[in-house]
Amino acid sequence: MTETRSTTDTLVFVAHTGQVSGAERVMLDLIGVALDRGRRVTVVCPGGPLVGRLPAGVEHVSIPPLGLSGERGLHRLMGAARLVLDWLRAGRVLRRHTRRDATTIVNSLFALPAARFARAPGGVSWLVHDTLSSGRQRAVVRISAPVIRRAVAVSEATARPLSDLGLPTVVAHNGVVWPVPALVTGLHDPPVVGILALLTPWKGHAVLLEAVAALSGVELEFAGGSFPGDADHVASLHERAAQPDLTGRVRFLGHTDPQTALTRWDVVVSASITPEAGPLSVLEAMAYGKPVIGTDHGGTTEFLRGGAGVLVPPSDPAALAEAITRVLDDADLRESLAREARRRIDAEHDKSVTLPLMLDELSF
């Protein structure tokens, strides 16, 4: 789709968090493309690491964090009431920065109601990084639907429930740096399984721990940070990793450069228990030719089907353990997975191609 707006237009990106995960990485990449095109860029988001990664010349406007933090019971009800107030506050701030000569791009589900309260002229484009799988998510979309002029989903699986809700929806796939050199597929001794994901419950680290507990002689590494609200979950992962069937075999690497982490690993796992939209960690592993095992739903299925990876049911440690064993034991399988994965990245997920197309769809 060709771009129809002036290169002098302002783009206003809105995010619900100041943390940096896959969705924010995509937004930062899009900001880079916009700046290269001569656009002015404003980012409306809470304070945090994201602000420190904004390029020079990008205006930052602060809003409260927009999301729940894992509260339960009465605390959850209080958190929901606080969230509504924060949406209203953020909407008032956002209203001062949305105007008819600006394109407003909402980068996260939980920022959408703030855009609704802001009454952005002409509506907003929503870059969809969440595959709707809960009533709470669908409720947020229904609340926000009047302000959404276009939803740009990062996978077909993510687009389908949006179309079912009646939203005008298109697909623009995520991409990664390409070309990159293939990493070796020979096994370490002992072999190492890795996962590159924030330590948050739905990413399935607990399932992966149980799978590796059943595999003697296999080590496990977690690469990724965590949100402040997930401290109890992170503590539970450390506690499980210290049990006798895993002790000494699990390492928590924290924030790590993806290529550095992938060099350490023989198999990469995406164990998410709810559907991913378009996980960058999977694409990065595919690009470097590392065999990937992923849960069979959402964008992960689209990335790995057809021989580009191995798919397993979500929340099934036994199936995951069997798949890990199969990949580790079969050098020919590892080579074929790497070959097809890199072919798929070359054909469909080179971000020098995907990012400009995505920005065009958001600006249309």
Side-chain angles (χ1 to χ4, degrees), residues 13-314:
F13 288 87
V14 188
H16 81 290
T17 179
Q19 302 299 313
V20 179
S21 61
E24 291 73 40
R25 288 172 58 195
V26 174
M27 186 180 77
L28 288 167
D29 283 342
L30 287 169
I31 289 170
V33 175
L35 293 174
D36 288 344
R37 292 179 172 182
R39 299 289 188 92
R40 294 189 299 269
V41 176
T42 297
V43 173
V44 180
C45 72
L50 176 59
V51 178
R53 293 179 59 173
L54 295 177
V58 172
E59 179 187 13
H60 170 241
V61 176
S62 184
I63 56 173
L66 305 175
L68 298 173
S69 301
E71 301 98 332
R72 294 290 184 269
L74 179 60
H75 292 292
R76 188 174 187 84
L77 291 175
M78 294 171 61
R82 184 194 67 246
L83 177 57
V84 172
L85 290 175
D86 287 340
W87 278 334
L88 288 167
R89 294 188 186 102
R92 286 197 294 270
V93 172
L94 184 58
R95 191 176 306 155
R96 297 196 293 269
H97 296 272
T98 57
R99 51 188 186 273
R100 293 199 178 277
D101 65 343
T103 299
T104 302
I105 298 170
V106 177
N107 195 60
S108 46
L109 172 68
F110 279 97
L112 280 173
R116 170 77 190 276
F117 293 137
R119 301 191 297 272
V124 302
S125 296
W126 174 27
L127 181 53
V128 191
H129 301 283
D130 301 282
T131 301
L132 302 187
S133 59
S134 72
R136 183 178 68 176
Q137 290 174 316
R138 284 186 283 272
V140 171
V141 174
R142 290 190 179 98
I143 290 169
S144 310
V147 79
I148 302 170
R149 65 179 184 83
R150 164 172 280 215
V152 179
V154 298
S155 66
E156 282 80 5
T158 300
R160 282 192 290 273
L162 303 176
S163 297
D164 291 344
L165 289 172
L167 295 179
T169 305
V170 297
V171 175
H173 292 288
N174 277 339
V176 291
V177 174
W178 182 261
V180 294
L183 299 175
V184 296
T185 54
L187 297 182
H188 295 86
D189 184 14
V192 183
V193 173
I195 179 171
L196 182 63
L198 283 167
L199 302 179
T200 197
W202 71 276
K203 291 290 188 177
H205 295 82
V207 177
L208 182 53
L209 281 169
E210 297 306 324
V212 172
L215 304 175
S216 61
V218 175
E219 298 187 346
L220 174 60
E221 293 188 342
F222 292 163
S226 60
F227 293 127
D230 287 327
D232 290 344
H233 173 68
V234 174
S236 73
L237 295 177
H238 280 271
E239 181 179 350
R240 178 65 185 92
Q243 295 301 307
D245 56 352
L246 283 169
T247 187
R249 294 199 287 138
V250 182
R251 292 179 289 276
F252 293 79
L253 305 181
H255 288 290
T256 306
D257 171 69
Q259 184 177 356
T260 300
L262 292 169
T263 302
R264 301 167 60 97
W265 300 341
D266 301 300
V267 177
V268 179
V269 172
S270 177
S272 301
I273 61 177
T274 57
E276 296 261 15
L280 292 179
S281 61
V282 170
L283 293 178
E284 287 167 337
M286 292 169 65
Y288 283 104
K290 285 293 180 176
V292 183
I293 300 169
T295 42
D296 191 4
H297 50 189
T300 306
T301 298
E302 294 175 24
F303 293 168
L304 299 182
R305 64 190 173 194
V310 175
L311 292 164
V312 297

